[in-house]
Every structure is written in structure tokens, then in C-alpha cells.
């Protein structure tokens, strides 16, 4: 199993551009989520999904869209990038069915200029 | 709202010395608690978790943590630190049955030889 994979590893955007961060998992996990990590703030939840076709907002959802059409994939879309979205983005998944531990991908470092 | 506090931003210990990283949480119900470790430029790796039962939990890499309900704490310990333990450590509490992890701001561990 590759676990949780994310692409790209690094990305530079200009203000106003849009892009999609990709996340995939091959563990057949029900639950997937996106976090952003900023210095001194830990990780904060952006959006999450409890299964295909079901998504919900986390703590910091503004400026981001998600959809979950398959169990394996959970892309994060930045609609109009802003410098405040410069961050490291982590995707995570967990098995569900009473197992609460989440498994994290390697991250995408995004810089918005 | 639930919160997690890691009072120490940086900790420096000598190789071979013991280690304790502090974590306090604010949560009404019985929490699910986690410790994750992040090496520079890497994703997060689960060290250990507490769901219920024995309040002293063992994790990987020789780490353990003790849940103390009366103090709302979940401190991470290791009896003898190795240089490879230098990393950033995050405590997290689970909301909504695993759907919303809330992270502390992290503690950076430096190990001096």
C-alpha cells in the first residue's frame, strides 16, 4: 500500500490563480480530511468527508472547495488563491468503524505571491 | 470549543536524558487523544493514542503517555532520548468520533550531544 499520497509536493501560485491539490489513499478508508499547517498554530481542519458524496466544513473552510466522488480521492480546490493561503497542506484518512487514528500524507507546500 | 495547549514551544534535552512533553486539553466528554511526530519536511506520524482503558499507553519508538482526567493532561514521556528524536511533536484531541482532530501548536524538541 502506498498509503496517503499527495501531489504536487511544492507549488507556487500568483494571487487570483486557481488550482487543485490532489490526495489519494489506497487503504479503502471511509474518512478523509484536509488540514493546513502554519507556524505556531499546529494543524487546522479545512474540510473533511465521511464517505463518497459526503463532505463537511472544518475550522477554516473559506476559500477552499472539496468533493468526494470516489472513496480513494479527495481533491482540495483553491478557487482564487490569496497570500493568506500560503501554507503546508496535509491530507489524512482514517479507517472508520471505530478506529479514530488518522494517517497523514507527506504534504504540499504552497506559496501564493 | 475544544482546545489543546502545549505550553512549551521549544525543549532542549541532552541525549540519553529523560523527556516529558506536556499537553493539556479542554473537552467535555471522554476524549480520544493522540500524539504525532513530524520530522522536518515530512508528514505526521502517529506515536500513540488513548481511547479508553489503561491510562498509561505505549507507543512506537519507546514513547509512552499518561492520561490524567483530573488534570486534563496527556503528557508524552521517553526515558532516554536519542538524537533521532529531534522533531516537532503535536498533541491532538478528537472531536466528533474522529472527524475533527484539534491540534496543539506543537513542541519542537532539540537533542544536544
Amino acid at each position: 500500500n502506498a498509503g496517503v499520497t499527495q501531489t504536487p509536493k511544492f507549488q507556487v501560485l500568483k494571487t487570483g490563480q486557481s488550482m487543485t491539490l490532489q490526495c489519494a489513499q489506497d487503504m479503502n478508508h471511509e474518512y478523509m480530511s484536509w488540514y493546513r499547517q502554519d507556524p505556531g498554530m499546529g494543524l487546522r481542519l479545512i474540510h473533511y468527508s465521511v464517505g463518497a458524496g459526503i463532505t463537511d466544513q472544518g475550522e477554516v473552510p473559506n476559500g477552499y472547495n472539496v468533493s468526494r466522488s470516489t472513496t480513494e480521492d479527495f481533491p482540495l480546490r483553491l478557487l482564487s488563491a490569496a497570500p493568506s493561503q500560503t501554507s503546508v497542506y496535509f491530507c489524512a484518512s482514517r479507517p472508520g468503524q471505530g478506529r479514530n487514528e488518522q494517517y497523514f500524507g507527506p504534504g504540499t507546500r504552497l506559496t501564493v505571491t | 470549543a475544544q482546545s489543546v495547549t502545549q505550553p512549551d514551544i521549544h525543549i532542549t534535552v541532552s541525549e540519553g536524558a529523560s523527556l516529558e512533553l506536556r499537553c493539556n486539553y479542554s473537552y467535555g466528554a471522554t476524549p480520544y487523544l493522540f500524539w504525532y511526530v513530524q520530522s522536518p519536511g515530512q508528514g505526521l506520524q502517529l506515536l500513540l493514542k488513548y481511547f479508553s482503558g489503561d491510562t498509561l499507553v505505549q507507543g512506537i519508538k519507546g514513547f509512552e503517555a499518561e492520561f490524567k482526567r483530573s488534570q486534563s493532561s496527556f503528557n508524552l514521556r521517553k526515558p532516554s532520548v536519542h538524537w533521532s528524536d529531534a522533531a516537532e511533536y503535536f498533541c491532538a484531541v478528537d472531536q466528533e468520533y474522529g472527524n475533527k482532530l484539534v491540534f496543539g501548536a506543537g513542541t519542537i524538541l532539540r537533542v544536544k550531544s
Side-chain angles (χ1 to χ4, degrees), chain B residues 48-93:
Chain B
L48 48 78
K49 61 194 179 194
Y50 171 78
F51 291 166
S52 64
D54 194 347
T55 56
L56 184 65
V57 294
Q58 303 296 320
I60 62 171
K61 305 186 180 187
F63 285 92
E64 67 178 26
E66 186 171 14
F67 170 60
K68 293 185 177 180
R69 184 188 303 276
S70 61
Q71 298 178 18
S72 297
S73 69
F74 188 56
N75 294 348
L76 182 71
R77 301 195 294 246
K78 186 170 185 177
S80 178
V81 168
H82 188 263
W83 64 265
S84 60
D85 293 324
E88 189 163 15
Y89 292 79
F90 293 95
C91 181
V93 65

Side-chain angles (χ1 to χ4, degrees), chain A residues 9 31 35 37 40-45 48 50 57-58 90 94 98-107, chain B residues 32 34 36 38 41-46 49 51 88 90 94-106:
Chain A
K9 286 184 69 68
Y31 171 88
Y35 292 84
Q37 181 180 28
M41 303 187 72
L43 280 76
R44 293 179 292 168
L45 181 65
Y48 66 98
V50 299
Q57 297 181 351
F90 289 98
R94 72 175 178 89
R99 291 185 55 194
N100 293 52
E101 67 272 20
Q102 294 192 32
Y103 297 88
F104 285 81
Chain B
Y32 294 158
F34 305 85
Y36 284 88
Q38 183 181 34
Q42 303 297 313
L44 278 74
Q45 181 182 23
L46 179 67
K49 61 194 179 194
F51 291 166
E88 189 163 15
F90 293 95
D94 182 313
Q95 300 183 81
E96 290 195 21
Y97 310 105
N99 291 341
K100 294 184 178 180
L101 275 181
V102 175
F103 283 85

Side-chain angles (χ1 to χ4, degrees), chain B residues 6-11 21-22 87-90 105-109:
Chain B
Q6 294 180 245
D8 304 303
I9 299 174
H10 297 98
I11 282 186
L21 302 182
R22 296 182 291 164
E88 189 163 15
Y89 292 79
F90 293 95
T107 298
I108 296 172
L109 172 65

Side-chain angles (χ1 to χ4, degrees), chain A residues 9-10 13 15 22 27 46 54 59 62 84 92 94 106:
Chain A
K9 286 184 69 68
F10 302 95
L13 290 179
T15 297
Q22 300 292 342
M27 299 174 283
I46 304 172
I54 307 170
E59 181 184 354
N62 293 341
S84 60
R94 72 175 178 89

